[in-house]
Amino acid sequence: MSHQTLDVRGQLCPIPVIRCQSRIGGMSEGETLEVLCTDPGTLHDIPAWCRIHGHKVLETTEENREIRIVIEVGA
Amino acid sequence: MISGGLDSMLATRVIQEQGIHVEGINFFTGFCVEGHTHAIRRQDQKKQKRNNALWVAEQLGIKLHIIDVIEEYKDIVINPKHGYGSNLNPCLDCKGFMVKKAHEWAVENGFDFIITGEVVGQRPMSQRRDTMPVIARESGANDLLVRPLSAKILPPTLPEREGWIDREALFDFNGRGRRPQIALAERYGLHDYAQPAGGCCFLTDAQYSAKLADLWQARGNREYEFDDIMLLKVGRHLRPDPGFKVIIGREEGENHYLEGYRKRFTHLFSPSHPGPFALIDGIAGPEEEETAARLVARFGKGRDADRVAVEIHSVDGRDRTIEVVPLSDAEIPQDWYL
Ligand code: SF4
């Protein structure tokens, strides 16, 4: 299973969500995407986007203004 | 089309009630009023930052596709065929453009028609009885564009004529009043929704529009880049001279955001006194840089000090530190403030 990384640090919402959406569009079920961001809005928006599209947030960490969200692509 | 407001939420719900599968589409133009300024400003970070369109989609149980139209949208803002509203908001062209994009997306993704939350008479420019057909026509969506909240006072669309949807179960809302929408929300048990004041984007904001107009005037053309329009949302903007302006962070979050631009703009800050981080947009020689430095000193903790040290880092790699006297309020003409 492939694991990809998406760096959207410095970008403000909804750009991180849009980038996430297009990256996941090219991935398959079960693969994981690690998103690195800095906008605190992503803590809310990326999980919300994942819920409505059936993807799963596996992990969220926040350290020194840096946010890391790991997503498992759904069906 | 989901804006995040109540009307598009209700319009979607009305169609869902008829057993039709709906997915949401939302466009990001760069001017949208989202959590940006809250995300940037540290003191606002505790505030609700949710993306209203995503939130609405979740309430409705539909997918939402957010589409980046930043580049294509420039032409709408720069050359609107139907002109602007009370500020630099090209609402009629904007709506036509968005419906066109939604129509293209619908065709590509196998959807049959488009729904918007538009209400006849709700908005002075884009939601009038005479302009709503213009949107349908110019977008190319024609009678595939359904406005469920006002459908009964508009000509029947193809989905209504073909019986895909029941026209009788649609509505006849008309005018600026919000009461029918609020009653319908009540009926559907929707209690928590965003009530956007003015419009859905920064272009309806007088102060924002003035800053954009200033940018165009200073550059001698009406172009803009994404970063330009983002920076117009941040900091104090002062133009001491037609050739340059200074963007000064108002608090830690804004300073931090502006620091992200340090490779692309000459930037200044004081190493001797806590205070703002600032960018110079335009062409500034040593004299202009000194004015900018005195402004940085004025908006920092050293405003009453005799001298304040200010570091100036130019884009071309020249770094220097100068000592300046902070400008007094009387020395800053009111018309410097944009
Ligand atoms: S307020 Fe802004 S986003 Fe809304 S229709 Fe007018 S120009 Fe478009």
Side-chain angles (χ1 to χ4, degrees):
Chain A
M1 281 294 164
S2 92
H3 175 84
Q4 299 191 21
T5 309
L6 176 68
D7 185 353
V8 282
R9 284 175 293 185
Q11 308 265 25
L12 300 178
C13 280
I15 299 277
V17 183
I18 295 173
R19 300 280 175 269
C20 204
Q21 177 182 273
S22 42
R23 181 66 74 86
I24 288 183
M27 294 173 69
S28 313
E29 186 178 353
E31 293 182 339
T32 48
L33 177 68
E34 180 172 345
V35 191
L36 305 175
C37 19
T38 43
D39 178 357
T42 56
L43 283 171
H44 196 282
D45 292 354
I46 291 181
W49 182 84
C50 288
R51 283 195 299 276
I52 62 180
H53 287 269
H55 309 301
K56 199 163 137 198
V57 175
L58 298 178
E59 208 183 320
T60 305
T61 51
E62 196 183 352
E63 218 181 299
N64 301 329
R65 285 177 178 265
E66 280 216 12
I67 297 160
R68 194 177 136 266
I69 302 173
V70 185
I71 303 165
E72 184 186 308
V73 179
Chain B
M1 287 166 57
I2 298 287
S3 67
L6 177 60
D7 294 0
S8 53
M9 187 180 197
L10 291 173
T12 308
R13 188 62 195 270
V14 168
I15 297 298
Q16 283 180 302
E17 289 281 303
Q18 301 201 11
I20 290 168
H21 172 81
V22 184
E23 291 191 13
I25 190 163
N26 173 266
F27 297 100
F28 181 61
T29 63
F31 295 102
C32 308
V33 179
E34 277 306 339
H36 291 154
T37 41
H38 295 328
I40 297 166
R41 299 190 71 159
R42 196 153 184 81
Q43 71 217 40
D44 286 353
Q45 286 192 359
K46 294 282 169 288
K47 284 194 188 157
Q48 182 66 273
K49 286 180 295 283
R50 76 178 182 207
N51 176 306
N52 283 319
L54 276 171
W55 186 84
V56 161
E58 198 170 7
Q59 298 309 300
L60 295 167
I62 61 170
K63 287 190 177 175
L64 179 78
H65 309 276
I66 308 180
I67 315 289
D68 169 354
V69 292
I70 297 165
E71 280 305 313
E72 282 173 86
Y73 193 72
K74 286 180 180 172
D75 191 46
I76 303 299
V77 181
I78 298 170
N79 305 304
K81 193 161 101 192
H82 299 285
Y84 299 106
S86 42
N87 293 296
L88 285 176
N89 48 311
C91 293
L92 190 47
D93 291 78
C94 170
K95 273 281 158 62
F97 167 79
M98 288 187 184
V99 173
K100 174 171 158 268
K101 297 298 293 179
H103 182 221
E104 288 168 6
W105 192 92
V107 170
E108 269 164 39
N109 291 278
F111 285 78
D112 299 314
F113 60 95
I114 303 151
I115 312 159
T116 69
E118 292 165 290
V119 169
V120 173
Q122 182 86 198
R123 292 261 171 88
M125 195 174 191
S126 57
Q127 298 187 34
R128 286 198 325 239
R129 193 183 284 275
D130 58 331
T131 55
M132 284 169 68
V134 174
I135 295 171
R137 196 174 58 238
E138 293 189 356
S139 64
N142 296 310
D143 61 358
L144 292 179
L145 174 58
V146 182
R147 284 98 164 203
L149 303 184
S150 286
K152 277 185 171 164
I153 53 168
L154 291 167
T157 57
L158 184 76
E160 293 161 84
R161 294 196 309 271
E162 293 291 320
W164 303 342
I165 48 180
D166 176 9
R167 179 172 169 92
E168 283 316 301
L170 305 181
F171 293 87
D172 57 357
F173 298 172
N174 185 1
R176 295 187 72 93
R178 304 290 298 158
R179 227 175 288 149
Q181 282 95 318
I182 292 166
L184 187 59
E186 200 62 34
R187 205 170 103 193
Y188 289 141
L190 305 170
H191 301 293
D192 182 10
Y193 43 82
Q195 285 284 32
C200 22
C201 83
F202 268 105
L203 292 169
T204 57
D205 182 85
Q207 215 193 340
Y208 186 89
S209 292
K211 283 193 259 183
L212 180 58
D214 165 80
L215 183 112
W216 284 343
Q217 196 183 6
R219 302 225 176 128
N221 65 49
R222 291 159 58 87
E223 305 292 310
Y224 66 80
E225 291 306 323
F226 178 61
D227 285 324
D228 294 326
I229 61 174
M230 291 303 286
L231 283 171
L232 294 183
K233 301 177 187 175
V234 187
R236 285 187 180 83
H237 290 232
L238 290 97
R239 182 176 294 287
D241 179 276
F244 78 103
K245 72 170 172 179
V246 192
I247 307 172
I248 304 175
R250 287 172 294 196
E251 42 83 75
E252 198 194 330
E254 289 194 340
N255 290 341
H256 187 77
Y257 183 74
L258 293 176
E259 278 173 36
Y261 287 90
R262 65 182 177 274
K263 290 206 176 69
R264 289 155 51 192
F265 290 84
T266 293
H267 55 276
L268 314 87
F269 58 89
S270 169
S272 62
H273 297 79
F277 188 90
L279 305 177
I280 294 182
D281 181 14
I283 300 163
E287 214 175 292
E288 288 83 11
E289 286 178 356
E290 186 178 328
T291 306
R294 293 185 68 195
L295 280 169
V296 167
R298 153 64 185 86
F299 290 105
K301 291 262 188 291
R303 68 176 63 98
D304 298 319
D306 293 337
R307 318 278 301 168
V308 170
V310 177
E311 281 187 30
I312 305 172
H313 299 265
S314 304
V315 255
D316 58 16
R318 276 181 303 116
D319 296 338
R320 61 187 180 120
T321 303
I322 58 173
E323 293 230 327
V324 295
V325 182
L327 281 172
S328 67
D329 284 343
E331 286 172 300
I332 306 177
Q334 210 44 45
D335 62 7
W336 283 13
Y337 289 93
L338 301 176

